[in-house]
Amino acid sequence: MSEKIDSLEITTNHATGYSSNGGYFSRMVDSFKPMEVVSEDDSTLDLVTKGVHGTANQPLVRDLKNRHVQMIAIGGSIGTGLFIGSGYALSVGGPAAVLISYVLAGYAIFCMVMALGELSVQFPISGSFNAFFSRFVDPTVGFTLGLMYALSWLISFPSELIAAAMTIQYWNQSIDPALWVAILFVLIIGINFFGVRGFGEAEFWLSLIKVIAVIGFIILGICITCGVGSQGYIGGKYWHNPGAFNGGLKGVCNAFVSAAFSFGGVELVALAAAETENPRKSLPKATKQVFWRIFIFYICTAIVIGCLVPYTNEQLLNGSGITASPFVIAVQNGGIKVVPHIMNAVILVAVISLGNSSVYGCSRSLASMAAQGLLPSWFGYIDRKGRPLVSIGFISAFGLLGFLVDSTKESVVFTWLFALCSVATFIIWGTVCVVHIRWRAALKAQGRSTDEIIFVSPMGLFGSYSGALVCFLMMIGEIWIALFPHGSADVNNFFQLCLSIPIMIVMYVGHKTYTRSWNRFIIKLEDIDLDTGRREVDIDLLRQELEELKLAYKEKPIWKKLLQILF
């Protein structure tokens, strides 16, 4: 096995280079040709084995540097969910509901990302978690959840284009927003055609801007709360009048929807594992950043906007787009005239960043599923620059729905499109925790121990069990408010919020029927492949290196140990 992996890496790395002969145009044309890799006949392999080998050997280019991975981890998911979606959560639930939903979702996310970090460092393969679903649970589960995850990014792309166009209208409403959609469409697709290095570089700078802006807003928000600005001292008066909760338990459950939307994309850093230069070094650091991101960017922000904006604010209830952002409302109420324009610019940056991530996340998910044999093979076409061209082309075509910005039915269309993948977010997060539990159980069942794990999740199995439980409870809460939003059952509201549930059932049954695999619902622990896809193929040498690292860690002073745990 090690010889095959070595030969594959040599061939892949060689194929990404270009001959010095020929001009720029010929080299560019040559770059779109398929990656030259060593291929084997997989027609006789079963779906599980085919998926394991396909994702382990997919020829993606490892061009993401450590700084790219770290910044994607810190600021990758900061977008419209935080800047605008938090306003919806505040209006339907009140400040306490926003805080509770962010704390619960944040805990589940932290447990999930720690578990995913352990798996992705061990197996830095194409598709990351959607490949793990097939490998550790069942290919049908991988097909269902992988397709739902890709669908969520697919729908997000045109919606982010529309959001960006509407954000620009804050400054100028005389220009047709379709023009901005066209410009941003070309920009985002162009970035992704520069390959994973282009995506990483763009995300580095865009995320840096978002991080600085959110930290700046939190500091400014604290100052306004303490009396800076035209309102004088505010303190916690809005927690008392109009109150901390709006709608009680249902208000909290309503806020879960916003929390899921806000945290969406936090797992993107694991998806990039196969294209990371040194996942063993980069990914553990990146996953540890998630705690600080949740605490600083979500928990602190929830507290600040809860102090600055009452849930009865008319702009919060009746505004649309940027005008409904609690960030902008808070600064406007404070009488600070320049900052709202700055915040609007930051929101525009965040929207472009999420559009960029949408193309990346969807294209890599589709390519991974093709490598697993779960989608037609042409979705897995990888060119010599490591770009999944067909998958990028597919999401680009879907992105043309962004031109619905000129349609009066635009909001209705996207309401139903987002209904396709709403509850699926909680199911995907919870299943990642289940995969981690099965990974550990498979090690035990096959007589192997945790001393070969490169990065051990600090939350351990307890984190995965509790994280899965929290995801399940949040899903139940969302189903409850979808069925009974105002006391009596509302079928239309249920399908708008939970259409993904019957869709996933149809996908699961359809795939099981098509593959004729009703005789197996879950892979036996003894049959799970625990080696294919590792970059460290010598287990004994790996154990020795990890033991040396443990001894070095024990000799460090307490303050260095603490820093290593937190950072």
Side-chain angles (χ1 to χ4, degrees):
M1 177 59 68
S2 62
E3 293 177 358
K4 290 180 181 177
I5 293 175
D6 290 341
S7 65
L8 173 67
E9 290 182 352
I10 292 171
T11 308
T12 300
N13 291 335
H14 174 73
T16 59
Y18 298 99
S19 171
S20 58
N21 298 324
Y24 173 79
F25 181 76
S26 62
R27 293 198 302 272
M28 182 183 69
V29 171
D30 188 60
S31 73
F32 290 102
K33 294 179 180 179
M35 182 79 80
E36 298 172 6
V37 294
V38 177
S39 59
E40 297 180 9
D41 182 18
D42 59 5
S43 59
T44 59
L45 300 178
D46 63 84
L47 196 57
V48 177
T49 308
K50 182 178 179 179
V52 169
H53 285 269
T55 53
N57 297 333
Q58 197 167 39
L60 296 170
V61 177
R62 301 167 187 172
D63 264 355
L64 282 180
K65 305 292 184 182
N66 182 54
R67 65 183 179 89
H68 296 144
V69 176
Q70 301 309 314
M71 193 53 68
I72 291 171
I74 295 172
S77 67
I78 299 175
T80 50
L82 178 64
F83 289 120
I84 299 176
S86 56
Y88 167 80
L90 183 60
S91 67
V92 298
V98 176
L99 184 59
I100 291 170
S101 65
Y102 278 14
V103 168
L104 285 176
Y107 176 78
I109 281 289
F110 181 67
C111 293
M112 182 273 291
V113 172
M114 290 300 104
L116 190 54
E118 179 177 313
L119 288 160
S120 297
V121 174
Q122 203 78 15
F123 306 99
I125 57 178
S126 169
S128 185
F129 51 90
N130 69 58
F132 296 149
F133 296 153
S134 299
R135 182 174 190 157
F136 292 96
V137 185
D138 183 63
T140 301
V141 174
F143 170 79
T144 304
L145 297 186
L147 199 56
M148 291 303 296
Y149 183 75
L151 184 63
S152 66
W153 282 123
L154 187 68
I155 295 167
S156 176
F157 181 41
S159 68
E160 296 300 339
L161 290 175
I162 292 174
M166 302 308 291
T167 301
I168 295 174
Q169 284 200 311
Y170 180 82
W171 294 301
N172 188 327
Q173 295 187 359
S174 63
I175 300 176
D176 189 341
L179 175 62
W180 299 119
V181 169
I183 293 172
L184 294 169
F185 176 87
V186 173
L187 173 65
I188 291 171
I189 296 301
I191 289 173
N192 279 270
F193 268 101
F194 275 100
V196 71
R197 177 69 69 86
F199 164 77
E201 203 63 43
E203 279 303 294
F204 176 83
W205 294 107
L206 293 173
S207 295
L208 183 61
I209 293 171
K210 292 187 289 183
V211 168
I212 293 172
V214 174
I215 293 174
F217 171 80
I218 291 172
I219 295 171
L220 177 61
I222 293 172
C223 293
I224 295 175
T225 304
C226 294
V228 174
S230 60
Q231 293 176 289
Y233 177 76
I234 299 175
K237 71 176 184 179
Y238 293 137
W239 282 68
H240 300 284
N241 183 24
F245 290 96
N246 179 25
L249 181 59
K250 278 192 175 180
V252 175
C253 292
N254 267 309
F256 287 157
V257 179
S258 175
F261 184 49
S262 299
F263 283 103
V266 72
E267 67 292 322
L268 198 64
V269 66
L271 193 67
E275 296 173 272
T276 301
E277 189 176 64
N278 188 354
R280 183 172 173 178
K281 177 183 178 182
S282 302
L283 291 182
K285 289 183 178 180
T287 51
K288 290 176 185 178
Q289 304 287 354
V290 172
F291 172 81
W292 299 109
R293 178 168 56 180
I294 291 170
F295 178 74
I296 296 174
F297 301 141
Y298 292 96
I299 307 301
C300 290
T301 297
I303 295 171
V304 169
I305 64 174
C307 290
L308 294 178
V309 183
Y311 68 75
T312 53
N313 184 281
E314 289 187 4
Q315 285 178 268
L316 211 62
L317 297 171
N318 302 319
S320 61
I322 185 65
T323 60
S325 169
F327 289 74
V328 174
I329 295 170
V331 177
Q332 286 177 335
N333 290 346
I336 304 172
K337 297 181 179 180
V338 179
V339 177
H341 292 280
I342 297 174
M343 288 306 304
N344 192 62
V346 171
I347 292 173
L348 178 60
V349 166
V351 171
I352 294 172
S353 173
L354 272 183
N356 190 34
S357 297
S358 298
V359 176
Y360 179 84
C362 182
S363 62
R364 268 54 179 187
S365 297
L366 293 176
S368 170
M369 293 182 68
Q372 297 173 59
L374 301 175
L375 286 179
S377 59
W378 40 270
F379 274 111
Y381 182 95
I382 309 291
D383 71 5
R384 295 185 181 183
K385 291 273 286 184
R387 299 169 297 201
L389 282 184
V390 174
S391 294
I392 292 175
F394 179 76
I395 189 173
S396 299
F398 195 85
L400 296 176
L401 285 176
F403 289 100
L404 284 171
V405 69
D406 280 337
S407 171
T408 56
K409 300 293 185 181
E410 169 261 326
S411 60
V412 177
V413 172
F414 280 95
T415 294
W416 286 103
L417 283 176
F418 276 109
L420 295 175
C421 52
S422 51
V423 179
T425 302
F426 297 124
I427 298 175
I428 290 170
W429 291 346
T431 308
V432 169
C433 295
V434 172
V435 166
H436 179 245
I437 294 168
R438 285 187 57 77
W439 145 247
R440 292 288 192 91
L443 279 174
K444 185 177 181 180
Q446 296 183 27
R448 296 164 68 165
S449 65
T450 57
D451 61 1
E452 65 182 71
I453 299 177
I454 301 170
F455 167 67
V456 179
S457 166
M459 298 301 291
L461 287 176
F462 172 79
S464 292
Y465 278 111
S466 58
L469 177 62
V470 171
C471 287
F472 174 76
L473 293 176
M474 288 193 294
M475 182 186 71
I476 294 299
E478 187 171 343
I479 293 173
W480 176 48
I481 61 164
L483 271 174
F484 306 101
H486 306 294
S488 58
D490 188 332
V491 176
N492 186 67
N493 189 70
F494 171 78
F495 281 110
Q496 283 189 350
L497 291 177
C498 300
L499 183 59
S500 56
I501 293 177
I503 292 294
M504 283 190 289
I505 293 173
V506 170
M507 286 181 178
Y508 185 90
V509 172
H511 188 267
K512 276 290 180 189
T513 303
Y514 178 77
T515 57
R516 301 177 182 178
S517 56
W518 286 106
N519 60 324
R520 183 194 63 215
F521 292 94
I522 194 166
I523 301 171
K524 294 181 180 179
L525 294 175
E526 295 80 7
D527 296 335
I528 292 176
D529 187 337
L530 300 178
D531 294 306
T532 303
R534 292 174 181 256
R535 291 193 189 174
E536 295 83 1
V537 293
D538 190 330
I539 303 300
D540 292 330
L541 179 60
L542 175 62
R543 285 174 176 156
Q544 182 180 341
E545 291 177 2
L546 293 176
E547 188 62 33
E548 290 173 357
L549 289 174
K550 289 178 183 178
L551 292 174
Y553 175 77
K554 289 180 180 179
E555 295 176 357
K556 291 181 179 180
I558 294 178
W559 66 273
K560 283 191 175 182
K561 290 181 180 179
L562 183 62
L563 287 176
Q564 185 170 328
I565 291 172
L566 296 178
F567 299 100

